[in-house]
Amino acid sequence: MNLPLALIATRARAQRVTVLTGAGVSAESGVPTFRDAQTGLWAQFRPEELATPGAFRRNPRLVWEWYAWRRQLVAGVQPNPAHHALAELERRVPQFTLITQNVDGLHQRAGSRAVVELHGNITRTKCFEEDTLVETWPETSEVPPRCPRCGGLLRPDVVWFEESLPAAALALAHERSAACDVFLSIGTSTVVYPAAELPFHALASGATVVEINPQPTPLTAKAEYVLAGAAGEVLPELVAAIELFRHG
Ligand code: OAD
């Protein structure tokens, strides 16, 4: 991709970089996104039937098994060059914050350390009643399994629709979006709030906002740079170009 030199120069000088990622970053690992017409999860399943507290109360087995299927899928894939490029950027930028809407844990598996998980993580399990994490539970044929402490049903540690995001993660995400030199919005349809307001917060604070997405989103018209390509191709190129710019 033909990267604008001004963007490379700005990115190379940036001391504070904040990144927001969505499902598009994991697409090249083989993890379905949500709203892509053919392959998106919401094209095949209805979120109201799977990703809400009400859905879980109505049919806990269905919801648990759907997340067990997604957990198994994620366990079977690898981080892609987009994840690795972001882990590389973190090592080169004085203040780098990676905010993700993804629950697949692939950023951490690629070596990213400062990951702000806005929507939780599918590899963690918590008690539906106590809302506390549960590491182990007695093997049983019951689905979902039960909390060893209170006997409540277990559920994935992810944020469902109608639920609040983890307050500390959201506060940090707002803080780092409003105080950065460059904000990269990567692989997100920018339609689910409050995550979707973060790039606009960065814009309002004067950051250089860059969107990386093969499709347009509500941010596209406002971003200073729009790199309309796949994250797994664009990000490694951007990291290489910045390195070249810095060290000639
Ligand atoms: P979406 O499925 O809504 O959007 C995925 C975005 O990634 C789209 O804009 C695609 O164009 C783009 N995309 C696809 N392949 C890409 C690639 N190779 N490189 C870059 N971009 C690519 O997923 P999210 O925006 O992450 O929330 O969805 C946000 C939230 O809605 C999710 O966290 C989830 C969902 O409902 C909850 O479940 C609470």
Side-chain angles (χ1 to χ4, degrees), residues 33-143:
T33 61
F34 292 92
R35 292 171 184 82
D36 284 344
Q38 303 312 319
T39 59
L41 286 173
W42 297 153
Q44 303 166 54
F45 307 99
R46 287 164 44 79
E48 304 75 45
E49 289 167 7
L50 292 166
T52 64
F56 186 75
R57 285 193 192 90
R58 281 191 302 276
N59 194 336
R61 183 187 189 97
L62 173 70
V63 174
W64 176 269
E65 289 180 336
W66 185 63
Y67 280 92
W69 167 73
R70 289 178 62 191
R71 234 188 326 271
Q72 196 174 20
L73 182 141
V74 164
V77 302
Q78 295 303 321
N80 69 62
H83 296 108
H84 290 296
L86 289 170
E88 186 58 34
L89 275 184
E90 180 179 19
R91 290 188 279 270
R92 298 180 182 186
V93 175
Q95 184 187 87
F96 185 88
T97 307
L98 174 55
I99 304 161
T100 190
Q101 300 170 87
N102 300 341
V103 297
D104 55 34
L106 289 175
H107 285 305
Q108 292 93 326
R109 284 173 53 192
S112 290
R113 286 169 307 137
V115 182
V116 181
E117 292 179 321
L118 288 183
H119 292 167
N121 188 313
I122 203 169
T123 61
R124 293 193 300 264
T125 298
K126 67 180 181 182
C127 172
F128 185 69
E129 301 304 330
E130 298 172 329
D131 201 30
T132 49
L133 290 180
V134 176
E135 306 283 330
T136 58
W137 53 87
E139 274 312 307
T140 164
S141 56
E142 192 177 2
V143 177

Side-chain angles (χ1 to χ4, degrees), residues 172-186:
L172 181 59
H174 273 295
E175 177 197 316
R176 295 294 170 84
S177 299
C180 61
D181 305 309
V182 173
F183 187 99
L184 303 178
S185 187
I186 310 169

Side-chain angles (χ1 to χ4, degrees), residues 7 11 17-21 86 89 96-99 180-188 199 202 207-212 219 225 227 235 238-239 242:
L7 164 60
R11 198 28 224 84
V17 174
T18 297
V19 177
L20 172 68
T21 63
L86 289 170
L89 275 184
F96 185 88
T97 307
L98 174 55
I99 304 161
C180 61
D181 305 309
V182 173
F183 187 99
L184 303 178
S185 187
I186 310 169
T188 179
T208 299
V209 174
V210 183
E211 180 175 62
I212 300 175
L219 177 65
Y225 297 97
L227 307 179
L235 277 169
L238 184 57
V239 173
I242 291 162

